[in-house]
Amino acid sequence: MSVERVHRLSYAVDAAAPAAALYALVADTAPWPLFLPDTVHTERLDFDGTVERYSHWAGTDGRAGRSLWRRALDAGRRRVDFREERPAGPVTGAAGSWRVEELAPGWSRLLLEQDLTVADGPGTERVLAEAGARGRAAADGLRAVAERWRRLEGLLLSFEESVRIQGPAEPVHAFLYETGSWPGRVAHVAQAEVVEDRPGVQRVRLVSLAEDGSSYPVEEVRVCFPAAGRIVFKRPRPHPLLAAHAGEWSVEPDPGGVNLVCRNDVLLDERAVEQVLGPGADLGRARRYVRELLGKESRAVLGPAGEYAGEPVRALRSV
């Protein structure tokens, strides 16, 4: 009979940011795909203003696994207590807390404590090492974003492209799901490879064509929700101007047809602006460049999706 032991892991990091700004990043999991490298998607299930349940898809190798978490938020104490609802073996219990302490005006400390109950065995050290690495990466990622708090609004960009299709929803969603069929249908996609290790979680590798005829690789991790007509995605290696890129395709049927929407969420890499766009380029130019580039990519998929559904596209819209 295996013996279970509780292991406590702790990590602390100091940030050149106000405690309130750092706590806000810990408390809101929705933008974590842009802030944490291994986070693909988060989905809030319940929230009563204090206690939250959410799903978390994460994986550094493109194989995103899902976990369920319950959190209690205490803004007054700048503390978040968390517990995983159904951890995967050999872990039988996972809980802990995030705490933010004010060190001085403009300086704060983020403390992460994890309590893991693990069934002793040959994989225990590996499990603890991986959990520690994930915790450190999360704390470091939140610290790095918090230290850009004054400029963060200008670095974040979200926008939508949409199309109205007078047709059924099912073939539209099928077109989005079957990315391997895009070469020959989507103008800029020359090659496509899709690996689905577990139902609904895809690793996509595309070879895309630039306007000058050159090719470049694109990788995505996608989580598919067929019943809801949604596919969320994250690009682990985004465009050189971006620190992170995530988004969502959504098929929204109504009695008259389908609204197909592509949302892109990006975090600009301010250090790369002049390297990519040339000396003197500023953040405003970078935002316009990324908006047009990714918008064009999205629109190139929206049109063929309508044609695949057997109906003409009625209108393309940008927001």
Side-chain angles (χ1 to χ4, degrees):
M1 182 177 179
S2 62
V3 176
E4 295 183 349
R5 301 181 187 276
V6 178
H7 303 265
R8 168 157 291 192
L9 307 177
S10 300
Y11 186 66
V13 61
D14 293 347
L22 186 53
Y23 175 78
L25 298 177
V26 174
D28 184 7
T29 62
W32 280 11
L34 295 180
F35 299 161
L36 306 183
D38 75 328
T39 297
V40 175
H41 179 60
T42 63
E43 187 101 359
R44 175 176 281 176
L45 304 175
D46 300 295
F47 186 54
D48 64 7
T50 300
V51 178
E52 172 192 45
R53 291 181 68 247
Y54 73 98
S55 295
H56 185 213
W57 283 263
T60 56
D61 59 356
R63 295 175 174 85
R66 178 179 182 243
S67 54
L68 292 171
W69 296 86
R70 181 181 294 272
R71 308 199 311 166
L73 285 69
D74 187 338
R77 299 169 61 201
R78 290 193 290 267
R79 179 184 178 116
V80 177
D81 294 313
F82 58 83
R83 174 175 60 83
E84 187 173 4
E85 293 194 344
R86 294 193 292 271
V91 178
T92 60
S97 67
W98 292 97
R99 290 182 293 124
V100 178
E101 298 177 352
E102 184 176 15
L103 301 178
W107 281 89
S108 54
R109 175 169 295 160
L110 178 60
L111 301 101
L112 170 63
E113 290 188 345
Q114 303 176 81
D115 292 331
L116 298 179
T117 305
V118 184
D120 280 351
T124 299
E125 292 301 321
R126 175 185 58 81
V127 168
L128 296 176
E130 290 177 352
R134 288 193 301 269
R136 289 191 295 273
D140 289 339
L142 294 173
R143 174 199 56 78
V145 175
E147 290 185 337
R148 288 174 278 178
W149 68 279
R150 293 183 184 275
R151 308 182 303 282
L152 191 56
E153 183 176 353
L155 296 174
L156 291 169
L157 175 64
S158 294
F159 59 90
E160 292 182 349
E161 299 286 347
S162 64
V163 66
R164 178 68 179 172
I165 300 171
Q166 302 295 333
E170 289 77 8
V172 177
H173 187 273
F175 179 83
L176 299 175
Y177 188 87
E178 297 165 3
T179 316
S181 69
W182 285 8
R185 290 194 171 110
V186 177
H188 67 276
V189 178
Q191 299 177 30
E193 176 188 351
V194 181
V195 177
E196 191 163 333
D197 295 310
R198 64 187 73 187
V201 179
Q202 300 177 335
R203 288 179 289 139
V204 177
R205 294 184 175 89
L206 306 176
V207 175
S208 293
L209 300 176
E211 291 185 351
D212 62 4
S214 62
S215 62
Y216 58 95
V218 175
E219 294 186 11
E220 285 187 356
V221 181
R222 310 203 309 170
V223 181
C224 307
F225 305 93
R230 299 170 56 220
I231 297 175
V232 299
F233 65 87
K234 179 172 179 176
R235 293 186 174 178
R237 298 176 182 83
H239 185 277
L241 259 177
L242 304 178
H245 181 190
E248 177 178 340
W249 296 94
S250 58
V251 181
E252 304 169 355
D254 59 41
V258 171
N259 289 317
L260 174 57
V261 181
C262 179
R263 190 188 77 243
N264 287 277
D265 303 316
V266 303
L267 176 64
L268 292 165
D269 184 353
E270 57 191 325
R271 299 168 300 180
V273 172
E274 291 194 354
Q275 296 175 10
V276 175
L277 300 180
D282 60 11
L283 202 55
R285 181 180 170 190
R287 290 172 65 88
R288 293 189 296 271
Y289 179 91
V290 169
R291 175 67 179 86
E292 177 55 31
L293 175 67
L294 299 183
K296 184 176 181 179
E297 281 189 5
S298 301
R299 293 191 297 271
V301 178
L302 294 174
E307 296 169 4
Y308 186 81
E311 295 290 340
V313 172
R314 300 304 181 193
L316 285 166
R317 300 187 299 277
S318 300
V319 178

